[in-house]
C-alpha cells in the first residue's frame, strides 16, 4: 500500500464520500468530501486521487509528492515523509498552483516544469519561484502535447532501443509519447 511505503495522508474521518464529485458545486461542500478536491482554477469539484504527482527535484535530489494544495517531502534515510511535512505547495514552490497534474526536472535545460491542465509553469530553481511570464500553454512549447497529462519523466536511455542518451516521455490516459530531443515535438513511439 502507498501509505505503508510513503506515509499516511492526512484525512478527516468525519468527511463524507460521494459517488460523483461533479454534483458538488460549492467549494465548501466539495472540500467536505474526502474523495473530492476543489479546483480553484476551473471552479469545479473533481475526484481526488492518492497523489496528484511526484518527482525527484534536481535542486536537492529529494522526492516530493503532491496532493491538492499540499506537498510531501520524502526522507530517503528514514523511509518516510520528512518531519514538518506536508506543507502548502505555495510555501515550498512559490507561484505553483494547487492540484497539479504532473511535474518534472528536465535535464535538457536544468529547469523544473509544473503542469496543470493545458498550462505549464517554468520554475526557476535558483530563485525559488515561477519565472516571469508563466503560465503558458503547453501546446505552444511542446507540439502535439495533450491538454492534460498524467506524467512526464526523463530517462538516461531510450526505452525503445536501450541506447544511451536522455529521452523524455509523456503519458496521458492510455497513450504515451517521446519528446523529440531536437524539436521538442511529441512523437508516437
Amino acid at each position: 500500500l502507498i501509505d505503508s511505503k510513503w506515509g499516511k495522508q492526512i484525512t478527516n474521518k468525519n468527511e463524507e464520500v460521494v459517488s460523483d464529485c461533479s454534483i458538488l458545486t460549492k467549494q465548501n461542500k466539495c472540500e467536505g468530501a474526502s474523495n473530492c478536491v476543489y479546483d480553484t482554477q476551473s471552479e469545479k469539484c473533481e475526484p481526488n486521487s492518492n497523489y496528484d504527482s511526484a518527482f525527484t527535484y534536481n535542486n536537492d535530489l529529494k522526492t516530493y509528492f503532491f496532493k491538492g494544495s499540499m506537498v510531501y517531502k520524502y526522507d530517503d534515510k528514514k523511509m518516510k515523509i520528512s518531519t514538518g511535512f506536508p506543507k502548502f505547495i505555495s510555501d515550498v514552490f512559490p507561484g505553483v498552483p494547487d492540484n497539479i497534474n504532473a511535474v518534472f526536472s528536465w535535464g535538457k535545460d536544468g529547469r523544473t516544469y509544473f503542469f496543470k491542465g493545458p498550462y505549464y509553469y517554468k520554475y526557476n530553481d535558483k530563485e525559488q519561484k515561477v519565472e516571469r511570464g508563466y503560465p503558458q500553454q503547453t501546446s505552444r512549447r511542446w507540439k502535439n502535447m495533450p491538454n492534460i497529462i498524467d506524467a512526464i519523466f526523463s530517462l538516461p536511455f531510450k526505452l525503445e532501443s536501450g541506447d544511451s542518451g536522455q529521452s523524455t516521455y509523456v503519458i496521458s490516459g492510455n497513450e504515451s509519447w517521446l519528446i523529440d530531443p531536437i524539436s521538442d515535438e511529441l512523437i508516437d513511439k
Side-chain angles (χ1 to χ4, degrees):
L1 294 175
I2 290 174
D3 285 352
S4 66
K5 179 71 175 168
W6 306 109
K8 197 156 191 78
Q9 297 180 43
I10 296 172
T11 58
N12 182 347
K13 293 184 191 238
N14 297 328
E15 294 175 330
E16 68 175 301
V17 174
V18 297
S19 59
D20 181 7
C21 296
S22 67
I23 64 170
L24 302 175
T25 56
K26 299 204 185 281
Q27 184 173 356
N28 63 339
K29 289 284 188 186
C30 180
E31 291 172 347
S34 63
N35 63 322
C36 300
V37 63
Y38 189 79
D39 184 341
T40 55
Q41 188 172 0
S42 68
E43 297 183 344
K44 292 181 181 175
C45 188
E46 301 173 348
N48 201 356
S49 60
N50 283 329
Y51 288 105
D52 299 326
S53 189
F55 85 123
T56 300
Y57 190 24
N58 281 350
N59 196 45
D60 64 5
L61 300 179
K62 300 293 182 188
T63 300
Y64 292 82
F65 297 91
F66 296 83
K67 180 182 176 79
S69 63
M70 307 305 287
V71 61
Y72 301 72
K73 183 165 108 176
Y74 186 69
D75 183 324
D76 295 322
K77 290 180 184 173
K78 294 181 180 177
M79 296 183 66
K80 66 178 192 172
I81 300 300
S82 296
T83 303
F85 282 82
K87 293 182 179 181
F88 288 105
I89 294 170
S90 58
D91 290 341
V92 180
F93 298 99
V96 173
D98 296 346
N99 305 312
I100 63 168
N101 297 107
V103 56
F104 85 124
S105 290
W106 202 7
K108 180 174 180 173
D109 65 3
R111 298 287 192 219
T112 299
Y113 294 87
F114 292 86
F115 297 84
K116 181 178 175 90
Y119 298 98
Y120 74 99
Y121 298 73
K122 187 175 183 181
Y123 195 76
N124 187 315
D125 299 329
K126 291 179 184 171
E127 294 183 18
Q128 297 286 293
K129 65 180 183 178
V130 171
E131 291 193 5
R132 178 180 271 191
Y134 288 86
Q136 292 186 13
Q137 288 193 313
T138 55
S139 59
R140 288 190 175 172
R141 171 69 173 85
W142 292 279
K143 189 176 177 190
N144 300 325
M145 179 74 85
N147 278 336
I148 297 176
I149 64 171
D150 297 316
I152 185 168
F153 60 95
S154 295
L155 296 172
F157 57 89
K158 292 183 176 59
L159 283 175
E160 299 76 26
S161 63
D163 294 338
S164 63
Q166 187 179 35
S167 55
T168 301
Y169 296 88
V170 173
I171 297 172
S172 180
N174 298 352
E175 299 181 78
S176 65
W177 297 265
L178 171 67
I179 295 180
D180 183 282
I182 297 169
S183 69
D184 291 344
E185 179 179 351
L186 274 70
I187 52 177
D188 289 323
K189 280 291 175 182

